[in-house]
Amino acid sequence: MPFFVVLIYMKTIFLSIVLLVSAYNCAQENLDLTYLAQTRGFFLQIEIHSSKLKVTHTRGGETKERELTQREQDELKDILTHTDFEKVKTTESTKSHSDAAAMANLSLTLDGEHREFDFDHGSPPKLLDSLVQKMISLSETTE
């Protein structure tokens, strides 16, 4: 086989690898999650943008932030890939919206697709429970 043919194959393989790595990194950066729970006396906002975690406990208050570890990012990604968001649309939370519970909103943008879900804080739909619990547990690790 002539050298130039081998060179073309090598360039093609190299470019394919570069494109795959770029696509993987872009998918990582397209993660936007926001959890907001509030009543008159309670406020919690958790934002995850790419690898950054931001937590606010009071309206207009100080926002604490930190970088997510690779392990935390992988855990979130695993939860997101195993959640069927199409089924969540038809699933009701276990409690009805009432004055007794803080109203919660989960907003997410994943791979360019935006979705929002409303439910009582502490009572997310079963299909969203692991994601909400993970976000809340991550929020407790900010200093």
Side-chain angles (χ1 to χ4, degrees):
M1 192 181 294
F3 178 73
F4 70 90
V5 173
V6 172
L7 187 60
I8 290 173
Y9 283 130
M10 289 176 58
K11 283 183 179 181
T12 304
I13 291 171
F14 176 74
L15 287 174
S16 298
I17 291 170
V18 168
L19 287 173
L20 285 173
V21 169
S22 296
Y24 177 77
N25 287 337
C26 285
Q28 293 283 332
E29 293 173 11
N30 287 338
L31 175 64
D32 281 325
L33 299 169
T34 301
Y35 180 77
L36 175 63
Q38 60 184 337
T39 61
R40 282 185 230 156
F42 175 78
F43 185 86
L44 173 63
Q45 183 171 8
I46 306 165
E47 296 177 85
I48 299 173
H49 303 289
S50 298
S51 64
K52 187 169 294 257
L53 170 69
K54 296 179 181 182
V55 181
T56 308
H57 288 282
T58 57
R59 284 181 190 85
E62 176 187 357
T63 298
K64 298 176 182 180
E65 61 182 75
R66 72 172 179 85
E67 290 291 322
L68 294 173
T69 65
Q70 187 61 50
R71 181 178 179 203
E72 291 168 334
Q73 292 176 56
D74 292 342
E75 289 170 352
L76 274 170
K77 188 178 182 185
D78 186 54
I79 292 169
L80 289 167
T81 51
H82 289 96
T83 302
D84 186 353
F85 293 105
E86 291 300 321
K87 288 184 180 179
V88 176
K89 290 181 181 178
T90 59
T91 305
E92 295 296 321
S93 92
T94 55
K95 293 184 183 177
S96 62
H97 302 301
S98 67
D99 289 339
M103 185 66 188
N105 174 272
L106 176 65
S107 171
L108 63 97
T109 302
L110 186 60
D111 296 328
E113 188 171 347
H114 183 77
R115 298 174 188 265
E116 288 197 35
F117 306 97
D118 294 316
F119 48 88
D120 289 346
H121 175 63
S123 185
K126 288 183 181 186
L127 294 172
L128 294 177
D129 188 53
S130 59
L131 177 59
V132 170
Q133 293 308 318
K134 182 63 180 176
M135 291 180 73
I136 291 172
S137 71
L138 288 171
S139 76
E140 294 167 352
T141 64
T142 58
E143 292 293 323

